[in-house]
mmCIF file of all heavy atoms in Angstrom:
data_model
loop_
_atom_site.group_PDB
_atom_site.id
_atom_site.type_symbol
_atom_site.label_atom_id
_atom_site.label_comp_id
_atom_site.label_asym_id
_atom_site.label_seq_id
_atom_site.Cartn_x
_atom_site.Cartn_y
_atom_site.Cartn_z
ATOM 1 N N ASP V 90 -40.329 -133.424 39.414
ATOM 2 C CA ASP V 90 -39.603 -134.562 39.988
ATOM 3 C C ASP V 90 -38.260 -134.752 39.304
ATOM 4 O O ASP V 90 -38.033 -134.268 38.177
ATOM 5 C CB ASP V 90 -40.452 -135.832 39.835
ATOM 6 C CG ASP V 90 -41.568 -135.887 40.873
ATOM 7 O OD1 ASP V 90 -41.509 -135.098 41.831
ATOM 8 O OD2 ASP V 90 -42.500 -136.696 40.699
ATOM 9 N N PHE V 190 -40.993 -115.609 56.381
ATOM 10 C CA PHE V 190 -41.524 -115.085 55.117
ATOM 11 C C PHE V 190 -40.850 -113.760 54.808
ATOM 12 O O PHE V 190 -40.239 -113.141 55.699
ATOM 13 C CB PHE V 190 -43.047 -114.930 55.142
ATOM 14 C CG PHE V 190 -43.569 -114.062 56.252
ATOM 15 C CD1 PHE V 190 -43.659 -112.680 56.099
ATOM 16 C CD2 PHE V 190 -43.975 -114.625 57.469
ATOM 17 C CE1 PHE V 190 -44.146 -111.885 57.123
ATOM 18 C CE2 PHE V 190 -44.464 -113.819 58.489
ATOM 19 C CZ PHE V 190 -44.542 -112.454 58.323
ATOM 20 N N ASP V 287 -53.939 -110.143 41.460
ATOM 21 C CA ASP V 287 -53.492 -109.347 40.317
ATOM 22 C C ASP V 287 -53.544 -107.870 40.696
ATOM 23 O O ASP V 287 -54.611 -107.359 41.095
ATOM 24 C CB ASP V 287 -54.387 -109.612 39.102
ATOM 25 C CG ASP V 287 -53.945 -108.814 37.896
ATOM 26 O OD1 ASP V 287 -52.825 -109.023 37.427
ATOM 27 O OD2 ASP V 287 -54.732 -107.966 37.435
ATOM 28 N N SER V 315 -85.309 -104.792 46.556
ATOM 29 C CA SER V 315 -86.229 -104.773 47.696
ATOM 30 C C SER V 315 -86.635 -106.195 48.023
ATOM 31 O O SER V 315 -86.528 -107.086 47.174
ATOM 32 C CB SER V 315 -87.453 -103.919 47.358
ATOM 33 O OG SER V 315 -88.239 -104.567 46.365
ATOM 34 N N ALA V 318 -91.537 -109.188 45.614
ATOM 35 C CA ALA V 318 -91.479 -110.165 44.520
ATOM 36 C C ALA V 318 -90.544 -109.669 43.426
ATOM 37 O O ALA V 318 -90.244 -108.469 43.322
ATOM 38 C CB ALA V 318 -92.885 -110.409 43.970
ATOM 39 N N TYR V 324 -86.901 -101.952 37.580
ATOM 40 C CA TYR V 324 -86.932 -100.514 37.795
ATOM 41 C C TYR V 324 -86.656 -99.750 36.509
ATOM 42 O O TYR V 324 -85.986 -100.242 35.595
ATOM 43 C CB TYR V 324 -85.913 -100.112 38.872
ATOM 44 C CG TYR V 324 -86.249 -100.702 40.228
ATOM 45 C CD1 TYR V 324 -85.537 -101.796 40.712
ATOM 46 C CD2 TYR V 324 -87.277 -100.169 40.984
ATOM 47 C CE1 TYR V 324 -85.842 -102.344 41.943
ATOM 48 C CE2 TYR V 324 -87.592 -100.720 42.234
ATOM 49 C CZ TYR V 324 -86.874 -101.816 42.699
ATOM 50 O OH TYR V 324 -87.198 -102.349 43.913
ATOM 51 N N LYS V 375 -89.378 -76.840 40.807
ATOM 52 C CA LYS V 375 -88.518 -75.888 41.513
ATOM 53 C C LYS V 375 -88.975 -75.618 42.945
ATOM 54 O O LYS V 375 -88.216 -75.096 43.754
ATOM 55 C CB LYS V 375 -88.444 -74.580 40.730
ATOM 56 C CG LYS V 375 -89.798 -73.910 40.535
ATOM 57 C CD LYS V 375 -89.652 -72.657 39.660
ATOM 58 C CE LYS V 375 -90.998 -71.969 39.455
ATOM 59 N NZ LYS V 375 -90.863 -70.741 38.626
ATOM 60 N N GLU V 511 -73.116 -81.609 16.592
ATOM 61 C CA GLU V 511 -72.364 -80.401 16.922
ATOM 62 C C GLU V 511 -72.092 -79.631 15.642
ATOM 63 O O GLU V 511 -71.625 -80.195 14.652
ATOM 64 C CB GLU V 511 -71.045 -80.757 17.603
ATOM 65 C CG GLU V 511 -70.224 -79.540 18.016
ATOM 66 C CD GLU V 511 -68.873 -79.906 18.614
ATOM 67 O OE1 GLU V 511 -68.386 -81.016 18.316
ATOM 68 O OE2 GLU V 511 -68.310 -79.083 19.357
ATOM 69 N N PRO V 543 -75.854 -97.767 29.556
ATOM 70 C CA PRO V 543 -76.442 -99.087 29.807
ATOM 71 C C PRO V 543 -77.192 -99.581 28.565
ATOM 72 O O PRO V 543 -77.795 -98.803 27.832
ATOM 73 C CB PRO V 543 -77.409 -98.817 30.970
ATOM 74 C CG PRO V 543 -77.779 -97.374 30.829
ATOM 75 C CD PRO V 543 -76.587 -96.676 30.235
ATOM 76 N N LYS V 594 -75.147 -87.127 45.532
ATOM 77 C CA LYS V 594 -74.172 -86.089 45.853
ATOM 78 C C LYS V 594 -72.776 -86.652 46.094
ATOM 79 O O LYS V 594 -71.781 -85.984 45.848
ATOM 80 C CB LYS V 594 -74.640 -85.306 47.079
ATOM 81 C CG LYS V 594 -75.758 -84.316 46.773
ATOM 82 C CD LYS V 594 -76.021 -83.408 47.962
ATOM 83 C CE LYS V 594 -77.068 -82.362 47.604
ATOM 84 N NZ LYS V 594 -77.344 -81.442 48.748
ATOM 85 N N GLN V 633 -47.797 -130.677 12.528
ATOM 86 C CA GLN V 633 -46.574 -130.820 13.312
ATOM 87 C C GLN V 633 -46.353 -129.532 14.106
ATOM 88 O O GLN V 633 -46.467 -128.431 13.569
ATOM 89 C CB GLN V 633 -45.361 -131.088 12.408
ATOM 90 C CG GLN V 633 -45.434 -132.395 11.628
ATOM 91 C CD GLN V 633 -45.332 -133.620 12.523
ATOM 92 O OE1 GLN V 633 -44.635 -133.600 13.534
ATOM 93 N NE2 GLN V 633 -46.027 -134.688 12.149
ATOM 94 N N SER V 656 -51.886 -115.589 22.556
ATOM 95 C CA SER V 656 -52.592 -115.377 23.815
ATOM 96 C C SER V 656 -52.130 -114.075 24.432
ATOM 97 O O SER V 656 -51.073 -113.535 24.082
ATOM 98 C CB SER V 656 -52.363 -116.543 24.781
ATOM 99 O OG SER V 656 -50.987 -116.637 25.114
ATOM 100 N N ASP V 691 -59.722 -119.148 20.738
ATOM 101 C CA ASP V 691 -58.355 -119.456 21.171
ATOM 102 C C ASP V 691 -57.323 -118.531 20.535
ATOM 103 O O ASP V 691 -56.124 -118.768 20.627
ATOM 104 C CB ASP V 691 -58.010 -120.913 20.857
ATOM 105 C CG ASP V 691 -58.143 -121.223 19.363
ATOM 106 O OD1 ASP V 691 -58.525 -120.313 18.597
ATOM 107 O OD2 ASP V 691 -57.871 -122.375 18.975
ATOM 108 N N LEU V 742 -35.237 -123.126 -15.436
ATOM 109 C CA LEU V 742 -36.519 -123.119 -16.128
ATOM 110 C C LEU V 742 -36.530 -122.084 -17.243
ATOM 111 O O LEU V 742 -37.008 -122.356 -18.351
ATOM 112 C CB LEU V 742 -37.641 -122.824 -15.123
ATOM 113 C CG LEU V 742 -39.057 -122.726 -15.706
ATOM 114 C CD1 LEU V 742 -39.458 -124.049 -16.348
ATOM 115 C CD2 LEU V 742 -40.056 -122.325 -14.624
ATOM 116 N N LEU V 744 -33.891 -120.924 -18.811
ATOM 117 C CA LEU V 744 -33.033 -121.424 -19.889
ATOM 118 C C LEU V 744 -33.738 -122.515 -20.682
ATOM 119 O O LEU V 744 -33.654 -122.555 -21.922
ATOM 120 C CB LEU V 744 -31.721 -121.952 -19.297
ATOM 121 C CG LEU V 744 -30.795 -120.901 -18.662
ATOM 122 C CD1 LEU V 744 -29.590 -121.575 -18.037
ATOM 123 C CD2 LEU V 744 -30.353 -119.864 -19.697
ATOM 124 N N ASN V 754 -39.411 -122.895 -32.136
ATOM 125 C CA ASN V 754 -39.457 -121.962 -33.265
ATOM 126 C C ASN V 754 -38.787 -122.562 -34.500
ATOM 127 O O ASN V 754 -39.267 -122.389 -35.632
ATOM 128 C CB ASN V 754 -38.758 -120.649 -32.894
ATOM 129 C CG ASN V 754 -39.680 -119.723 -32.135
ATOM 130 O OD1 ASN V 754 -40.856 -120.002 -32.007
ATOM 131 N ND2 ASN V 754 -39.142 -118.635 -31.617
ATOM 132 N N PHE V 756 -38.506 -125.762 -35.158
ATOM 133 C CA PHE V 756 -39.429 -126.781 -35.669
ATOM 134 C C PHE V 756 -40.587 -126.129 -36.405
ATOM 135 O O PHE V 756 -40.986 -126.561 -37.494
ATOM 136 C CB PHE V 756 -39.933 -127.627 -34.496
ATOM 137 C CG PHE V 756 -40.975 -128.632 -34.872
ATOM 138 C CD1 PHE V 756 -40.632 -129.804 -35.554
ATOM 139 C CD2 PHE V 756 -42.310 -128.408 -34.554
ATOM 140 C CE1 PHE V 756 -41.602 -130.728 -35.896
ATOM 141 C CE2 PHE V 756 -43.277 -129.320 -34.898
ATOM 142 C CZ PHE V 756 -42.929 -130.493 -35.575
ATOM 143 N N LEU V 779 -56.026 -120.389 -62.990
ATOM 144 C CA LEU V 779 -56.774 -119.140 -63.135
ATOM 145 C C LEU V 779 -56.335 -118.363 -64.362
ATOM 146 O O LEU V 779 -57.159 -117.777 -65.075
ATOM 147 C CB LEU V 779 -56.596 -118.286 -61.878
ATOM 148 C CG LEU V 779 -57.313 -118.779 -60.615
ATOM 149 C CD1 LEU V 779 -56.933 -117.918 -59.419
ATOM 150 C CD2 LEU V 779 -58.822 -118.746 -60.806
ATOM 151 N N ASP V 810 -75.464 -103.416 -99.084
ATOM 152 C CA ASP V 810 -75.120 -104.257 -100.245
ATOM 153 C C ASP V 810 -76.236 -105.202 -100.666
ATOM 154 O O ASP V 810 -76.185 -105.767 -101.764
ATOM 155 C CB ASP V 810 -73.874 -105.095 -99.944
ATOM 156 C CG ASP V 810 -72.654 -104.197 -99.784
ATOM 157 O OD1 ASP V 810 -72.623 -103.122 -100.414
ATOM 158 O OD2 ASP V 810 -71.752 -104.557 -98.984
ATOM 159 N N GLU V 894 -66.918 -111.816 -119.145
ATOM 160 C CA GLU V 894 -66.802 -111.743 -120.587
ATOM 161 C C GLU V 894 -67.819 -110.788 -121.154
ATOM 162 O O GLU V 894 -67.575 -110.146 -122.177
ATOM 163 C CB GLU V 894 -66.987 -113.146 -121.176
ATOM 164 C CG GLU V 894 -65.797 -114.067 -120.867
ATOM 165 C CD GLU V 894 -65.999 -115.488 -121.406
ATOM 166 O OE1 GLU V 894 -67.133 -115.802 -121.815
ATOM 167 O OE2 GLU V 894 -65.035 -116.287 -121.334
ATOM 168 N N ASP V 913 -56.484 -122.332 -94.690
ATOM 169 C CA ASP V 913 -57.748 -123.041 -94.647
ATOM 170 C C ASP V 913 -58.393 -122.899 -96.016
ATOM 171 O O ASP V 913 -58.658 -121.780 -96.483
ATOM 172 C CB ASP V 913 -58.641 -122.450 -93.549
ATOM 173 C CG ASP V 913 -59.952 -123.191 -93.406
ATOM 174 O OD1 ASP V 913 -60.896 -122.863 -94.135
ATOM 175 O OD2 ASP V 913 -60.045 -124.086 -92.525
ATOM 176 N N THR V 932 -64.610 -103.779 -113.108
ATOM 177 C CA THR V 932 -63.731 -103.765 -114.305
ATOM 178 C C THR V 932 -64.621 -103.855 -115.556
ATOM 179 O O THR V 932 -65.469 -104.750 -115.668
ATOM 180 C CB THR V 932 -62.756 -104.958 -114.275
ATOM 181 O OG1 THR V 932 -62.001 -104.871 -113.046
ATOM 182 C CG2 THR V 932 -61.818 -104.912 -115.476
#
Side-chain angles (χ1 to χ4, degrees):
D90 282 346
F190 57 86
D287 181 62
S315 69
Y324 296 104
K375 60 184 180 179
E511 182 184 23
K594 284 190 176 181
Q633 297 292 326
S656 63
D691 58 359
L742 178 61
L744 293 176
N754 277 353
F756 175 75
L779 288 174
D810 294 331
E894 290 178 349
D913 183 274
T932 303

